[in-house]
């Protein structure tokens, strides 16, 4: 299952469980549920991915071309980064104007 | 594009089910692409529905003010987490096929493990730094947001590695993994 779905389901599941058990839910509890969900989803994805990759490529020597990877990735990062900034800055700036 | 258009223009009008089957069931490149796109579309719809429902539920359960803090912290996680993989999750879809078709198996194996280790180490270090920033700025941050921000820092490395793995899975057409 894709990360989006696993993550969201786990977050809802954890918070619903805490809610049913009668815990006083707050931002901290919700973030704890999210952190656990993200880590669990990532580790599950890693196990499935590693198993599939093992069937896809035989074990052997490894070579790393960090410089080459970054040369391809960094221009993409620039494009993605500005797009992300564009879409998220409103929420981050809005926090500065909220009344307490 | 031209080929597909020409085909659909000349093909006799068949039943909808037969057309769907031809679109989704075949092994030709076009039907594989259609199937992948269909899978992604379904995933997108489900995750949008889930996000919508979870927003309502969470806002009701944790209250307006705390939900604002939660969204604020998640926005930081999404913004920084999506940038901290240096775009590797996107470029994996260029690098992996390139290594595969070039028969460079050592480099391919290196990328499959090295990309994840690199993004994990860098994002873990960056998260530790960010936690330090939160600590030093804590007099000026809303007191209710400080602890959630720390937890956000803990979330970041896993989020970044998951992003990188998404990229690796997508490069293999394993859409249900990424």
């Amino acid at each position: 299952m894709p990360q989006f779905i696993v993550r969201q389901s786990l977050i809802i599941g954890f918070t619903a469980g805490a809610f049913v058990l009668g815990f006083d839910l707050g931002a901290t509890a919700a973030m704890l549920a999210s952190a656990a969900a993200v880590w669990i989803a990532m580790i599950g994805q890693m196990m499935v991915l590693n198993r599939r990759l093992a069937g896809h490529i035989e074990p052997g020597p490894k070579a790393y071309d960090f410089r080459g990877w970054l040369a391809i990735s960094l221009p993409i990062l620039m494009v993605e980064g500005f797009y992300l900034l564009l879409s998220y800055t409103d929420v981050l700036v809005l926090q500065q104007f909220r009344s307490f | 594009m031209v080929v597909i258009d020409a085909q659909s223009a000349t093909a006799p009008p068949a039943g909808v089910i037969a057309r769907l089957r031809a679109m989704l069931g075949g092994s030709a490149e076009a039907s594989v692409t259609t199937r992948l796109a269909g899978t992604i579309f379904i995933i997108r719809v489900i995750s949008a529905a889930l996000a919508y429902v979870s927003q309502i539920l969470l806002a009701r359960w944790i209250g307006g003010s705390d939900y604002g803090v939660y969204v604020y912290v998640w926005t930081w996680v999404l913004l920084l987490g999506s940038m901290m993989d240096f775009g590797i999750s996107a470029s994996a879809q260029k690098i992996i096929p390139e290594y595969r078709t070039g028969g460079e198996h050592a480099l391919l194996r290196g990328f499959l493990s090295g990309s994840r280790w690199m993004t994990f180490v860098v994002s873990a270090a960056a998260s530790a730094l960010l936690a330090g920033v939160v600590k030093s700025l804590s007099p000026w941050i809303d007191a209710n947001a400080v602890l959630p921000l720390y937890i956000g820092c803990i979330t970041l490395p896993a989020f970044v590695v998951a992003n990188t793995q998404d990229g690796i899975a997508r490069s293999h057409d394993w859409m249900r993994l990424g």
Side-chain angles (χ1 to χ4, degrees):
Chain A
M1 279 283 111
Q3 289 291 299
F4 292 119
I5 295 177
V6 177
R7 244 183 243 152
Q8 287 295 343
S9 312
L10 284 175
I11 292 174
I12 298 177
F14 287 149
T15 43
F19 184 73
V20 168
L21 289 175
F23 285 100
D24 192 21
L25 285 176
T28 307
M31 269 320 290
L32 276 176
S34 307
V38 172
W39 275 96
I40 292 170
M42 186 276 280
I43 290 169
Q45 185 190 32
M46 181 177 277
M47 291 194 301
V48 178
L49 186 65
N50 283 348
R51 204 181 315 134
R52 284 212 187 177
L53 285 174
H56 213 68
I57 184 161
E58 67 283 3
K62 290 172 184 166
Y64 304 94
D65 179 21
F66 290 109
R67 197 181 290 265
W69 304 343
L70 290 181
I72 297 173
S73 306
L74 288 179
I76 298 177
L77 173 68
M78 288 292 284
V79 176
E80 259 187 16
F82 281 113
Y83 178 74
L84 288 165
L85 274 176
L86 204 61
S87 41
Y88 291 138
T89 310
D90 51 353
V91 178
L92 300 179
V93 172
L94 211 56
Q95 177 81 359
Q96 307 307 316
F97 293 103
R98 83 190 195 118
S99 50
F100 290 96
Chain B
M1 241 6 238
V2 179
V3 177
I4 296 169
D5 286 341
Q7 270 177 356
S8 60
T10 52
V16 177
I17 293 174
R19 282 227 330 244
L20 264 180
R21 188 167 293 154
M23 248 168 73
L24 301 174
S27 58
E29 200 136 324
S31 52
V32 171
T33 313
T34 320
R35 196 159 52 219
L36 284 175
T39 313
I40 295 166
F41 181 66
I42 293 169
I43 290 171
R44 287 276 159 99
V45 170
I46 294 175
S47 60
L50 262 177
Y52 184 69
V53 171
S54 71
Q55 274 183 12
I56 297 170
L57 288 178
L58 278 176
R60 293 198 71 98
W61 286 340
I62 69 182
S65 168
D66 272 32
Y67 186 70
V69 173
Y70 174 76
V71 169
Y72 174 67
V73 175
W74 250 114
T75 308
W76 275 116
V77 171
L78 286 171
L79 175 64
L80 296 173
S82 309
M83 289 171 72
M84 253 186 230
D85 65 354
F86 322 113
I88 284 266
S89 66
S91 61
Q93 295 168 62
K94 170 175 162 53
I95 294 172
I96 291 176
E98 214 169 68
Y99 285 161
R100 169 151 312 119
T101 49
E104 293 165 302
H105 290 291
L107 279 168
L108 180 58
R109 280 187 286 263
F111 182 80
L112 290 176
S113 71
S115 60
R116 285 185 274 174
W117 277 112
M118 181 175 78
T119 48
F120 178 71
V121 169
V122 172
S123 61
S127 304
L129 269 176
L130 283 167
V133 171
V134 172
K135 189 170 172 54
S136 58
L137 289 180
S138 54
W140 295 280
I141 301 175
D142 174 14
N144 292 322
V146 173
L147 192 52
L149 279 170
Y150 282 134
I151 303 170
C153 293
I154 297 172
T155 316
L156 265 177
F159 185 87
V160 173
V161 173
N163 262 351
T164 311
Q165 294 187 141
D166 283 355
I168 294 174
R170 274 177 213 153
S171 324
H172 293 86
D173 287 350
W174 298 331
M175 295 309 170
R176 271 169 288 176
L177 251 182

